[in-house]
Amino acid sequence: EILTIYAELLDGIWQRIIPTLGRMTVVAIVERALRVSARQHRILLHVVVTRDNGIDLGPVREHTLVIPRDELHGAFKDLIVNIVDLLVMLTGDLLVRHVVADIDTGDSTR
């Protein structure tokens, strides 16, 4: 099922960025991405994000019978793109500096 796939993907993203950015920051990032994505994909209004439980797609399941599969896929794809965009905006400069430093020193093992 499409929700299971996206739930696992979103959980993986959540688990990987929590240690670096902290729970409150990740909640804020995901909530912001949800607000932006929900402008076009109203189904995303049913996604629940909490500091302790992460991203819960359970409430979305109740509404999937009336949403075409392609529309559901598009909504979650848009959400993930918006999460990644926010992460790039927050960390892009830091990552660019590390890449430049690695190139300058010839060290690509960092």
Side-chain angles (χ1 to χ4, degrees), residues 3-50:
L3 281 184
T4 302
I5 293 167
Y6 278 106
E8 289 174 4
L9 180 58
L10 288 165
D11 185 57
I13 292 169
W14 180 273
Q15 296 303 324
R16 283 186 175 87
I17 61 177
I18 286 287
T20 303
L21 299 176
R23 289 186 185 276
M24 293 305 291
T25 302
V26 176
V27 167
I29 289 168
V30 173
E31 286 178 343
R32 171 71 176 141
L34 276 168
R35 280 192 305 275
V36 170
S37 298
R39 291 178 192 155
Q40 293 180 338
H41 309 283
R42 306 297 290 171
I43 189 72
L44 295 176
L45 293 172
H46 302 287
V47 175
V48 176
V49 182
T50 63

Side-chain angles (χ1 to χ4, degrees), residues 84-99:
V84 170
D85 281 348
L86 288 167
L87 289 171
V88 167
M89 286 190 316
L90 287 172
T91 65
D93 187 45
L94 178 65
L95 294 175
V96 169
R97 279 191 252 149
H98 281 286
V99 170

Side-chain angles (χ1 to χ4, degrees), residues 60-109:
V60 176
R61 291 186 195 282
E62 300 170 17
H63 304 277
T64 57
L65 295 177
V66 297
I67 303 290
R69 179 177 162 77
D70 289 345
E71 188 176 326
L72 194 59
H73 171 69
F76 283 102
K77 181 179 174 184
D78 190 51
L79 173 61
I80 290 171
V81 166
N82 283 321
I83 290 171
V84 170
D85 281 348
L86 288 167
L87 289 171
V88 167
M89 286 190 316
L90 287 172
T91 65
D93 187 45
L94 178 65
L95 294 175
V96 169
R97 279 191 252 149
H98 281 286
V99 170
V100 170
D102 287 349
I103 291 170
D104 287 344
T105 63
D107 181 11
S108 62
T109 59

